[in-house]
Amino acid sequence: MLTIIGITAPIFLLILVGFVATRVGIIPREALPGMSRFVLYLALPVLMFQKISQLDMEVLIDPQYLMVYSFSCLVSFVSVFCISRLILNNSTSFSSLKGFGSACPNSAFIGLPVLLQYFIEDAPTQAFAMSLMVENIILFPIAFALMETHGDTGVGLKKIVITVAGRLVRNPIIIAVFSGVLASLVGFQAPGFISRGMDLLAGAAAPVALIIIGGSLAGAAFSASFKDIFMIAGFKLLIQPLIALCLVIFVVPDMDLMLKQAVVIFSASPMASIYPIVGGQYGKQAYCSGVLMATTVLAFFSISLMLSLLSLIQ
């Protein structure tokens, strides 16, 4: 257990540092968007490019990983959507927003740092690339299409396709993934001074991302009901990773061990930090901020639990 705490404690310590630093004014709240852009447009894409460009392309895509991750995300999304829509009588748009929070992990800012801490060396970063593919190509389009049904009137397929396609081609991490694939195929090697500069940038991705998470929680308003928090956090932090764990044990037992562990880690991550930003587009920013705060705090315990359960995987 001490080993598990040794993995999770540094992660959440940096989140706490970011929270306190923002609270006392060391990091102005106005600086957080700029720090986020630094991670999303510079540090994280460089990290992904480095890792993927060094991979054998035959091991980049694993169909079993994609199946397990997609299924666990979609079960969580559909379950919360149906509960909200059919039992709680929420609108289709609001139900989809809840489902999005319960299904889309914070792969970049929490999942990846936990992965790097868990494996220390030779972490299977192709798992991060595959997780991003599932989130951006499957989960985001479904969630955003349903969230755009204001008043349940629906939107045209053309608008949905254009919106999703625009999101994909502008996503710097997706661009980095495909650039890394191309670099691997042509055998590209960056010159020494460029490579060292990229190492410095890549090394900043995880710690700065965690500071941002803490800083964003410092200004979070709390307006969500405990019933909604229990439902969304329960599916995100427990049901989704447990589904992934059961699948890798009973359905795809021959899957690579490191990828089995990685898919559970990513599935156990709390919701994406953009959740309040997405909710703000539909007048639910305060609601989403409260859910994000509660879920991120609870994630310390749930991630520790899931890491301890990884011993069940052979």
Side-chain angles (χ1 to χ4, degrees), residues 136-153:
N136 282 275
I137 298 175
I138 298 177
L139 190 58
F140 279 17
I142 294 174
F144 279 92
L146 290 172
M147 278 188 274
E148 283 296 321
T149 59
H150 299 291
D152 298 327
T153 57

Side-chain angles (χ1 to χ4, degrees), residues 4 31 53 91 115 127 143 311:
I4 300 303
S53 63
S91 67
L115 185 78
S311 60

Side-chain angles (χ1 to χ4, degrees), residues 178-312:
F178 285 103
S179 298
V181 170
L182 180 61
S184 176
L185 291 174
V186 302
F188 172 77
Q189 293 289 334
F193 73 97
I194 294 180
S195 179
R196 288 190 291 273
M198 293 172 68
D199 289 340
L200 292 174
L201 265 179
V208 176
L210 295 172
I211 294 293
I212 294 167
I213 290 288
S216 65
L217 295 180
F222 200 91
S223 68
S225 67
F226 286 105
K227 175 178 63 179
D228 280 357
I229 290 174
F230 178 79
M231 175 180 66
I232 296 172
F235 273 93
K236 180 73 231 45
L237 300 178
L238 294 177
I239 303 300
Q240 184 175 338
L242 285 175
I243 291 173
L245 181 65
C246 290
L247 287 175
V248 298
I249 292 175
F250 300 111
V251 179
V252 287
D254 58 335
M255 183 175 167
D256 179 80
L257 176 60
M258 294 177 72
L259 290 180
K260 286 182 179 181
Q261 296 167 331
V263 76
V264 174
I265 289 173
F266 280 113
S267 298
S269 301
M271 64 192 55
S273 57
I274 63 169
Y275 191 49
I277 299 173
V278 173
Q281 300 177 34
Y282 308 97
K284 300 291 184 181
Q285 184 168 3
Y287 172 92
C288 292
S289 295
V291 175
L292 175 66
M293 175 187 289
T295 307
T296 304
V297 171
L298 293 173
F300 173 79
F301 305 99
S302 63
I303 290 177
S304 298
L305 172 62
M306 292 305 156
L307 291 179
S308 65
L309 291 177
L310 288 182
S311 60
L312 299 174

